[in-house]
Amino acid sequence: MVERTLGEVSPECRRRLIIHYGAKASEWLDAVPALLDQAAERWKLALGAYHDAGHASVIAMADTPGGRPLLLKAWADPARFRNEVNALRLWAAGPTVGVVEAADDLAVAALEMIGGRPGGGERPARELQTVAAALHGLHISGRRRRRPCGLPTLDSHLNQEVRPRVRRRLETTDPGPWQDLVDMVLPELMTLGEDDSRTTVLHADLYRENVLFDRLGHPRLIDPLPMVGDAAFDWAFWTVYYDLGRGTDARLATAARISRIPVPVLAPWCRTLALDGLLYYLETADPRSPRMADVLARLSAPNPGNRS
């Protein structure tokens, strides 16, 4: 029998997941300690403490009998668990976190601990270039290997989520001083189309906190929200969100160089994501609204990606 060490999740963790999933997550959060206990017993792991991070799952540290550190991750949404685990297995041996064990009945997986500690190792000086190369490699794998069945598509994401919520927010949210900018970009969002020649499995959640580094300084991508679609989406997400408001032009130029997707092709995708983000920030009174508006303005100026 493994040692039981976990109590209830922290109030902050509970707050984050209820904000993300709604009140329906409360009952699942109550069951999380037992789910993690079951997984640890099944895989003969010694549980440590919670790693209190993330907005869509609960994470705890654990060790194998041989002392190898792992992270146990429990998903509130079984579909999100399946999609993430399937994508990580598709990218196995690539620049992603490795899946050591997975339990479909629990929606819990044991993942390798990058860099030997939660949060990974130190970021290298050439972070931009190494992450871009890793993303390019991920896309190559997604094109060459057999894709898992059932992954969501970018087309559905755009048509069933992004465009409807932009329309809804425009009816209820005042863009204020950014109205002209919104009006300029909106038609582009509604007509944006994919290039089938670039179809791959996308990470689709390339925030900086979702890129860790191992002890050798190699990037390892974690926490994907995988979709099948145009690689331009991932490059645009990375350009806009990886470090919001900092280095946008440099990332866009790097994305174009590494992916060989020209800036004039990538820029509309970047503007689409920035517009969607700006309206969300305005709707939720997020203080990052001016920063996102500045990103959108820079991406809408002539020759984005060519300025310092």
Side-chain angles (χ1 to χ4, degrees), residues 94-96 126-141 143 206 211 213 217-221 235 238 242 251 254-259:
T96 54
R126 290 177 56 81
E127 179 178 353
L128 193 70
Q129 294 81 0
T130 59
V131 175
L135 180 56
H136 186 55
L138 211 68
H139 289 161
I140 290 173
S141 295
R143 282 192 289 268
L206 284 162
V211 180
F213 289 84
H218 299 147
R220 307 286 292 280
L221 280 58
W235 290 109
W238 182 66
Y242 188 76
R251 283 195 300 280
T254 301
R257 185 176 70 254
I258 300 298
S259 70

Side-chain angles (χ1 to χ4, degrees), residues 91 135 138-139 154 157 201-207 210 221-228 233-235 237-238 241 273:
W91 295 321
L135 180 56
L138 211 68
H139 289 161
L154 176 58
H157 177 65
V201 178
L202 308 172
H203 182 284
D205 208 30
L206 284 162
Y207 295 100
N210 286 344
L221 280 58
I222 66 169
D223 294 350
L225 279 173
M227 297 185 290
V228 176
F233 179 91
D234 262 355
W235 290 109
F237 196 109
W238 182 66
Y241 281 105
L273 287 168

Side-chain angles (χ1 to χ4, degrees), residues 181-257:
L181 186 60
V182 169
D183 290 343
M184 180 175 65
V185 176
L186 183 60
E188 197 169 54
L189 162 63
M190 297 307 172
T191 59
L192 191 65
E194 298 183 66
D195 184 331
D196 291 343
S197 70
R198 296 192 297 262
T199 297
T200 186
V201 178
L202 308 172
H203 182 284
D205 208 30
L206 284 162
Y207 295 100
R208 196 167 186 244
E209 58 264 31
N210 286 344
V211 180
L212 307 184
F213 289 84
D214 62 23
R215 290 187 175 96
L216 298 176
H218 299 147
R220 307 286 292 280
L221 280 58
I222 66 169
D223 294 350
L225 279 173
M227 297 185 290
V228 176
D230 193 326
F233 179 91
D234 262 355
W235 290 109
F237 196 109
W238 182 66
T239 295
V240 172
Y241 281 105
Y242 188 76
D243 192 3
L244 183 63
R246 300 182 181 89
T248 306
D249 291 322
R251 283 195 300 280
L252 179 54
T254 301
R257 185 176 70 254

